[in-house]
Amino acid sequence: MRYDWSVDEITELFALPFNDLIYRAQQCHRAHFDANEVQLSTLLSIKTGGCPEDCKYCPQSSRYQTDLESELLMKKDEVIAAAQRAKANGASRFCIGAAWREPKGRAFEMVLEMIRAIKDMDMEACATLGMLDADQAARLKDAGLDYYNHNLDSDPEFYREIISTRSYDDRLDTLRHVRAAGMSICCGGIVGMGESRRHRAGLIAQLARMQPHPESVPINMLVKVPGTPLQDVEALDPFEFIRTIAIARITMPASHVRLSAGREAMSEEMQALCFLAGANSIFYGEKLLTTDNQAADQDRILFEKLGIRPQQQHTPSSRRMVNA
Ligand code: SAM
Ligand code: DTB
Ligand code: SF4
């Protein structure tokens, strides 16, 4: 496994003929995974909108006028019911998200209870709650959390054009706390925000230089939400998105690369090319956090056409014993 990828080297991968790039990605993919298996994660926004941060892509920032209604923290019973539905539909991981800069006080305690309840249902649990300190990371681990999602979003240079209220180093600090607490990391970014190819290479280099690599790497295509500053940004060429997936696969060969936000606007053929390029995880269910996702029925039809199987759940009881 390599952890020394340079931005130049990754830029060279971007410049390969498409067929050569996809062939290399398939070879890496097949060396580490069953190429016909895709992991399914279902998202739930447990605290929607009203976020103090200024991420220019995000409908949940209180700074932008979007159609989104802010909501209070969900009740534990509602979260359990949603997790049960996700499990019944075949998802192996349930991921709860909150529009916070960081978790605080009583709300954090309630999230810990939600995580314990999800773990009691024998599902993998993931959360994305903003920045964490070392103590919060340890408490999430103690509650049974398997994965923490915290994205780098872009390379350090382009990042400054997208977010001013939280630094790149703040993000790296949170990721260090997650790792030190013994949780798996889900970390990726967004493309299609008007960044250059060099910036995309810089994002992949940041992720691929993490040692160990993030276990999950979500590659999001920007969902352009009216009212956000990025609402009118020029669309990214679909092949450039597929190349980004392929390069994530080549540079982080044993990680799950997730074809994440933006699937609703992608053709079946484009999604199939993403799977061919090495994507082996998706968000599954009608909604992402606040925007629409491709319907589960359509996913089932697409999987059938492509002969793809959902990845079976890990044996959670053995995992719990490891965590104990
Ligand atoms: N508030 C927490 C934080 O940002 O750390 C957690 C939730 S936040 C919504 C999780 C991630 O969703 C962001 O880091 C970003 O990568 C992704 N995201 C948000 N809005 C998006 C959009 N319009 N298109 C694609 N991805 C988006
Ligand atoms: C990730 O990388 N993408 C997900 C999840 N991690 C939390 C979120 C996508 C959000 C898309 C916009 C929305 O639905 O609000
Ligand atoms: Fe807040 Fe997260 Fe949205 Fe940024 S991405 S505005 S931190 S909810």
Side-chain angles (χ1 to χ4, degrees):
M1 201 66 67
R2 279 189 56 188
Y3 302 96
D4 61 351
W5 290 93
S6 70
V7 181
D8 282 342
E9 263 180 302
I10 294 175
T11 307
E12 281 166 25
L13 289 177
F14 268 102
L16 282 175
F18 187 76
N19 288 346
D20 290 348
L21 179 64
I22 301 300
Y23 180 62
R24 267 187 73 173
Q26 257 294 307
Q27 283 177 311
C28 285
H29 195 178
R30 284 170 185 270
H32 291 89
F33 292 100
D34 177 337
N36 301 310
E37 215 173 68
V38 168
Q39 186 272 333
L40 308 180
S41 289
T42 293
L43 282 168
L44 177 69
S45 178
I46 58 164
K47 156 64 183 81
T48 301
C51 183
E53 304 290 90
D54 68 353
C55 314
K56 282 191 181 153
Y57 49 75
C58 187
Q60 304 203 68
S61 168
S62 61
R63 299 172 192 236
Y64 315 129
Q65 293 302 314
T66 63
D67 286 342
L68 193 73
E69 302 266 340
S70 295
E71 288 166 26
L72 298 173
L73 183 64
M74 264 184 159
K75 302 257 178 313
K76 187 170 100 178
D77 288 352
E78 296 172 88
V79 176
I80 293 173
Q84 276 164 345
R85 282 195 299 275
K87 186 176 177 175
N89 282 333
S92 61
R93 191 176 308 161
F94 195 64
C95 177
I96 53 177
W100 288 327
R101 176 175 166 79
E102 74 260 299
K104 285 187 216 143
R106 178 81 194 115
F108 183 55
E109 307 294 331
M110 288 163 77
V111 169
L112 295 175
E113 281 179 35
M114 293 173 193
I115 291 165
R116 285 186 203 103
I118 296 165
K119 290 311 294 173
D120 282 345
M121 293 170 43
D122 279 353
M123 288 188 92
E124 287 188 317
C126 177
T128 182
L129 314 168
M131 293 191 284
L132 297 181
D133 62 27
D135 180 59
Q136 289 171 321
R139 296 188 66 203
L140 287 166
K141 166 74 182 170
D142 199 47
L145 193 68
D146 300 292
Y147 288 80
Y148 194 75
N149 165 249
H150 200 63
N151 289 338
L152 290 177
D153 281 346
S154 190
D155 82 318
E157 190 186 65
F158 192 72
Y159 180 92
R160 287 196 288 272
E161 295 186 29
I162 300 295
I163 299 147
S164 78
T165 49
R166 170 189 300 173
S167 74
Y168 211 79
D169 282 342
D170 288 337
R171 290 190 186 248
L172 294 171
D173 281 347
T174 292
L175 293 168
R176 270 190 283 275
H177 296 320
V178 172
R179 197 49 101 191
M183 288 181 285
S184 294
I185 288 180
C186 173
C187 181
I190 311 178
V191 296
M193 297 192 289
E195 76 286 340
S196 65
R197 179 177 264 191
R198 181 101 190 150
H199 292 136
R200 284 187 284 281
L203 165 67
I204 300 288
Q206 287 286 330
L207 297 167
R209 291 173 76 91
M210 287 167 69
Q211 191 168 358
H213 293 148
E215 284 75 9
S216 265
V217 180
I219 305 291
N220 295 278
M221 177 75 109
L222 175 71
V223 179
K224 291 188 233 175
V225 181
T228 60
L230 297 184
Q231 63 174 10
D232 293 323
V233 80
E234 202 184 320
L236 185 71
D237 186 286
F239 292 110
E240 191 68 12
F241 183 84
I242 299 160
R243 282 179 185 275
T244 310
I245 297 257
I247 293 166
R249 166 54 61 226
I250 292 166
T251 55
M252 293 168 277
S255 302
H256 275 83
V257 175
R258 184 171 309 119
L259 166 54
S260 303
R263 261 186 338 112
E264 223 224 342
M266 293 177 196
S267 68
E268 286 190 331
E269 293 86 341
M270 176 171 174
Q271 295 182 56
L273 277 173
C274 290
F275 295 133
L276 190 66
N280 61 350
S281 171
I282 58 168
F283 286 125
Y284 176 69
E286 284 87 80
K287 269 207 178 296
L288 293 165
L289 288 173
T290 67
T291 63
D292 289 343
N293 192 20
Q294 176 164 295
D297 287 353
Q298 262 175 279
D299 287 338
R300 281 191 281 270
I301 292 168
L302 179 59
F303 278 19
E304 187 135 321
K305 286 188 196 180
L306 301 177
I308 287 176
R309 299 177 306 273
Q311 186 183 301
Q312 293 306 304
Q313 278 170 238
H314 293 118
T315 51
S317 46
S318 57
R319 182 177 284 267
R320 268 217 304 265
M321 276 156 62
V322 172
N323 285 347

